[in-house]
Every structure is written in C-alpha cells, then in structure tokens.
C-alpha cells in the first residue's frame, strides 16, 4: 500500500519531456519571427511620427519668432554626426544671418536614422506629392517666415510668398524604408504626411 502511494506521488511529480519543451520553444520562435517585422515597422512609424511632430514644432516656433521680432526668420537643415550614426538638425536664425548652428538657436534633432531628401528615390520609394494633393507648387529650400507669419523663400532681402515640401525616410530591416513628408502651404499651414505603402496619408 505504501509503495503504491509512493509510485503515485512520483507519477504526479513527473515534469515535461524534452520533446515537449522543444516543441513549445519552436512554436514561440515561430510566433516571434512572424511578429518581428510588424514590431520593427511599428517602432519605425513611431520614430518617424515623433520626428515630424518635433520638426513641425520648430517651424511653428520660427513663425512665432518672426512675428514677435518683426523680422524674417529662417529654419535651416543640417546633417550632423553623433555617435555611430548621423541625423538631421533643424534650427532657426534670422534670415539675414548666414552663420552656422549656435547653441542659442532654437533647434530640434530628428531621431536617427531619419534622413532628409529632396525627393523620394530608390526601390519602393513613393511618388512626390503633387499640386493636386498640396494645392500649391512646392519649393524645397530652407523655409523663411516673414514678419506677418507667412512662409517665403528668402533671397538677398527679398522674400516672395510660397509653399514648401520636405521629404524624410528612415532605414529599416530588409532594406526597407519608412517615408514621411511635411508641407507648408503659402498660408502657413503645416501638414504631416506618411506613406502607407500605397498612398500618402495624414
């Protein structure tokens, strides 16, 4: 009787077999490998949206400074290396000030590896946003805001009103890229655009 109880106890205490453990591990790996690309894209999308929001903020600040100081203010873009990568910095100066980025300038650093390009290119790149989508013919130079808060293209003291568009991409797994754009209408409206893989959305 006592032996039967001990045998039953041993049976109840039996663990998982090696085959069962390996099966569970294999299933977990398959699930992880399936979900990983979606996780990478989700992280990339968050990073891109965060960068566009930060850039929109510094452009709005440029506009506010132009009105407040009653002077034309320009937002410049520059690529700078930091750590093992490089990224884009947008900073604000007086339109007549051609000096480099200074510590006192209003600025924002986009999250690496977000890169600015004049127009999308390369495998899987989206088309540029056209007049039918923007309702204006865009420029791609550094944007200036005049003392009334309207965007313009500053050159030699002149600053004709106009709209702008800027494109950005990041690098993701399997040589993929995430794309975003930020437009400034001639009226000064900022709009963030994101490429869904088939269309530009906001």
């Amino acid at each position: 009787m006592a032996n039967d109880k001990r045998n039953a106890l041993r049976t109840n205490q039996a663990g998982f077999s090696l085959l069962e453990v390996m099966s569970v591990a294999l299933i977990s790996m398959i699930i992880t490998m399936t979900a990983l690309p979606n996780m990478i894209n989700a992280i990339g999308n968050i990073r891109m949206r965060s960068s566009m929001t930060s850039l929109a903020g510094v452009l709005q600040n440029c506009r506010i400074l132009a009105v407040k100081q009653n002077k034309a203010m320009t937002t410049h873009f520059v690529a700078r290396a930091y750590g093992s990568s490089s990224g884009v910095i947008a900073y604000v100066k007086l339109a007549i000030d051609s000096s480099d980025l200074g510590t006192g300038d209003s600025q924002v650093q986009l999250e690496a590896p977000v890169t600015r390009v004049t127009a999308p290119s390369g495998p899987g790149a989206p088309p540029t946003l056209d007049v039918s989508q923007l309702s204006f013919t865009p420029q791609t130079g550094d944007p200036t805001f005049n003392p009334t808060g309207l965007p313009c293209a500053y050159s030699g003291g002149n600053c004709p009103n106009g709209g702008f568009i800027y494109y950005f991409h990041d690098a993701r797994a399997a040589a993929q890229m995430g794309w975003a754009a930020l437009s400034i209408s001639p009226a000064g409206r900022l709009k963030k655009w994101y490429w869904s893989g088939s269309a530009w959305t906001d």
Side-chain angles (χ1 to χ4, degrees):
M1 187 72 174
N3 288 336
D4 291 340
K5 289 183 178 180
R6 282 195 292 270
N7 290 335
L9 184 60
R10 290 194 190 98
T11 302
N12 292 336
Q13 290 178 341
F16 295 107
S17 68
L18 179 60
L19 180 60
E20 290 172 328
V21 172
M22 291 180 65
S23 297
V24 171
L26 180 60
I27 292 170
S28 299
M29 289 176 62
I30 292 172
I31 293 173
T32 301
M33 293 300 292
T34 303
L36 189 59
N38 291 333
M39 291 173 60
I40 291 173
N41 279 333
I43 292 170
N45 290 339
I46 291 171
R47 178 175 55 224
M48 187 66 81
R49 287 179 179 274
S50 174
S51 293
M52 293 303 99
T53 299
S54 297
L55 178 58
V58 82
L59 287 167
Q60 286 285 19
N61 191 46
C62 180
R63 184 179 189 178
I64 291 169
L65 287 173
V67 174
K68 185 177 180 180
Q69 297 184 19
N70 197 34
K71 295 179 180 179
M73 303 292 294
T74 301
T75 298
H76 301 278
F77 296 92
V78 62
R80 289 288 168 87
Y82 47 92
S84 59
S85 60
S86 62
V88 176
I89 296 176
Y91 63 97
V92 178
K93 280 189 177 292
L94 287 169
I96 60 174
D97 187 349
S98 59
S99 62
D100 198 6
L101 171 65
T103 55
D105 297 328
S106 175
Q107 59 187 274
V108 64
Q109 181 174 295
L110 305 188
E111 294 190 43
V114 175
T115 304
R116 180 193 169 203
V117 294
T118 303
S121 62
T128 57
L129 288 156
D130 57 30
V131 177
S132 65
Q133 295 165 293
L134 297 171
S135 300
F136 62 89
T137 301
Q139 304 174 70
T140 58
D142 290 344
T144 297
F145 288 92
N146 64 26
T148 63
L150 293 176
C152 55
Y154 183 86
S155 178
N158 297 316
C159 204
N161 178 237
F164 298 82
I165 185 75
Y166 305 100
Y167 297 97
F168 301 86
H169 72 77
D170 63 7
R172 303 184 184 182
Q176 294 182 346
M177 290 184 182
W179 289 91
L182 194 147
S183 62
I184 310 172
S185 74
R189 182 192 176 201
L190 301 177
K191 186 173 182 179
K192 293 169 281 188
W193 303 80
Y194 303 97
W195 179 246
S196 68
S198 59
W200 284 106
T201 60
D202 54 12

